[in-house]
Structures are given as structure tokens and as C-alpha cells.
Amino acid sequence: MTYYLGVDIGATKSHAMIADERGCVVGFGEAGPGNHEVVGYDGLQAALQAITAQALASAGITAAQIAGAGFGVAGYDWPSELEPTLEAVATLGLAAPVEIVNDTIIGLVAGAESGWGVAIVAGTSNNCWGWNAQHQIGRVTGNGSRFGEFGGSGELVEMATISVAKAWTRRGPGTALSDMFARYCGARSQADLLEGLSQGWYGIGAEAAPLVFQAAETGDAVALGVIRWAAAELASLATGVIRQIGLEQQQFDVVLVGSMYNGGLLLLEPLTEAVLAVAPGARFVRLLVPPVVGAVLLGMQVGGLDPRPRRQTLIDTAGLAVFARTATPQ
């Protein structure tokens, strides 16, 4: 029996998963952040070692039995970051071939039935990568607002906060978000809210994004406008990637990854409309399985095993493996 390793390194948590040649998940490991932008390359190495050791132990195998390994690494955006990432992976002692990609790609591979297309990440921040059937890569910078890439929940809340400030200074229309954000922070008034935000007494982060959707559902025009702005920004990421890899006239999956999509049709309708205007053959798929599934599929591919016949078995057993791990007292 041969085995395949998949690793998902994130900014808040990291996962490792091992499957056998049938696609059955046999091992799983979990730890905290491994993104080198958050914890450094030493932290990346520590996360890799911790989750891989857990996965190997739960599978009852050794690293020598791994035939292929796929790594989706948050923070791996540029060629200059490949060598230190490879050095961290090398500490695992794998003799198998490996493939290292940005973590957005493993979300794409996990969600797209064909294994290619475009993935739009909208979590705390945003990202968008894709590849076509020939694995030609398209991507955005992954560096967020510095390079004009928006659409995550943190950026949504930031834009909503700007709208609250504009309402208070009469530079913009009133909005229910003013009182909602004040209550959220425990502020005595809208003025106290803005003073507290400016002085650091209060904070409103990405976790407040559901308030924007709640206000929009009541018909608040400002909240609706902020959500439509986020949808347009996410669509612009996708359409840029689509143009880079020549998918405008093809049928392909657009995989939606992240908690922002919990906002439902208020976000999805303007987003899909804008993407379809450029690529009418796009099909939208919400990622409902752990992204690490995509890393295992990459591991199979680089290890010389066709992942397509194993994909559904892997998906079916992955959820059970993650549940069993999280339900067991540590």
C-alpha cells in the first residue's frame, strides 16, 4: 500500500492529511499558524513538523511510506519565497516528490471537479489564483490593499467604518451601521465610537462583517453599497486571473473559498453577474470540504497516481477524519 500526504499551511491553523492509494483518509494532524508572514520560517518549520508527525502517527506509517506530497502554503506568493519554504519542507525527511503551491490553489483543486479553474478567497482578507487545463498559472499579488486587492471581511468592515465616519461628518448618507457599530463596541454615542476608534479604545475587525450583512438585509442602502463594492472587487480579482490564463470562452469552475460567502445572495449575485459578463461559461462552486483535500490530490498527482478516480472517496472520508480529530479530547 502506498500513501499520499497533503498539507495546508494557514495564517491561523494548519492541517496535514494522509490518504492511501484508494483515496481513503488514514491520518490527520492539526496545529496553529504556519504562514511565514505571521510566524517566520522557523514557525513554518515547526508547524510542518507538528502536523506531519501527528498525521503519520495516526496513520501508523513512517515518512518513508509517503509516495507523493502536496503542500498549500499561505504566504508563499513569490519565487524568492520558494527556497526557504523548500528548506522547511526538507526537514520532514520525505523521500517522495513534492509540489508546493500557494494555499489558494489547493482550495481550487479541492473544489473544482476537473482540478482546474479559478479560486476566489474571501475570508479575513482576499486572494485569487487559478490555472487552466495546461496548469498555466494566473494570480493576483496576494498583498491586499497595498496593491489594490480588496473583498475580504476585514476590508468590508473597514469600508463600512469609513461610511459610518462619512455619515457622522455629513459627507455621506446616514446608515444603521452607525448605531450597530456603537453597540458592538459598547460606545456611548456615535461620536464616542469614532473617538474611541481613533484613540484605540475600541476596535472593529473582520469578525463584525455579519453586522454589515444584517444591516443590508433590512434594506440599509449604505450597507448594501458596501457589500456590492466588495462583490465588485472580488469579481475584479477573478476576471483578471481569467484573462491571464485565457478562460474567457471556456467552461470552468470558480471555487468560492472563505467565510464571506456566508453572506449569501447579497454578495453572490453581483459577484457572479460581474464574472459571467467576462466568462459566461463560469460555474460557481462553494468549497465545502477542507482545503487540505486539494493538497492530498496534488500529492497523488506528483506521486504518479491519477487522483481523479480517488477524488470522491477522499472527499467522503476527509470530513469524517477531521470530525473524529476535533471531537476527540486532546
Side-chain angles (χ1 to χ4, degrees), residues 96-244:
V98 304
E99 181 161 5
I100 298 173
V101 297
N102 180 274
D103 62 325
T104 305
I105 289 289
I106 62 171
L108 168 61
V109 175
E113 188 171 353
S114 63
W116 59 273
V118 174
I120 316 172
V121 176
T124 300
S125 189
N126 68 85
N127 208 342
C128 185
W129 285 60
W131 59 21
N132 57 23
Q134 294 74 42
H135 283 198
Q136 176 189 1
I137 287 179
R139 44 80 59 95
V140 297
T141 71
N143 292 113
S145 59
R146 180 181 183 185
F147 292 133
E149 296 164 6
F150 305 97
S153 55
E155 295 123 10
L156 179 87
V157 170
E158 183 176 357
M159 184 60 70
T161 304
I162 290 171
S163 298
V164 167
K166 285 186 173 182
W168 188 75
T169 57
R170 300 296 180 91
R171 296 171 57 219
T175 171
L177 291 169
S178 299
D179 289 336
M180 293 173 76
F181 279 9
R183 287 194 298 271
Y184 177 81
C185 291
R188 297 184 301 273
S189 65
Q190 294 177 21
D192 181 50
L193 169 68
L194 294 170
E195 182 179 4
L197 290 173
S198 69
Q199 300 301 312
W201 308 334
Y202 304 132
I204 304 176
E207 71 283 351
L211 295 178
V212 183
F213 285 93
Q214 290 173 24
E217 286 167 359
T218 67
D220 185 87
V222 170
L224 284 167
V226 170
I227 292 169
R228 289 175 184 140
W229 166 83
E233 292 297 320
L234 292 170
S236 76
L237 304 181
T239 55
V241 170
I242 287 165
R243 293 185 183 108
Q244 289 173 45

Side-chain angles (χ1 to χ4, degrees), residues 213-279:
F213 285 93
Q214 290 173 24
E217 286 167 359
T218 67
D220 185 87
V222 170
L224 284 167
V226 170
I227 292 169
R228 289 175 184 140
W229 166 83
E233 292 297 320
L234 292 170
S236 76
L237 304 181
T239 55
V241 170
I242 287 165
R243 293 185 183 108
Q244 289 173 45
I245 54 179
L247 296 182
E248 296 98 317
Q249 303 305 319
Q250 297 192 42
Q251 290 189 341
F252 62 97
D253 289 333
V254 176
V255 181
L256 307 176
V257 185
S259 57
M260 267 282 284
Y261 299 111
N262 294 337
L265 294 178
L266 289 175
L267 178 71
L268 292 173
E269 285 186 344
L271 168 61
T272 56
E273 181 180 354
V275 173
L276 289 171
V278 174

Side-chain angles (χ1 to χ4, degrees), residues 316-329:
D316 291 342
T317 58
L320 295 174
V322 173
F323 175 78
R325 174 74 182 183
T326 57
T328 302

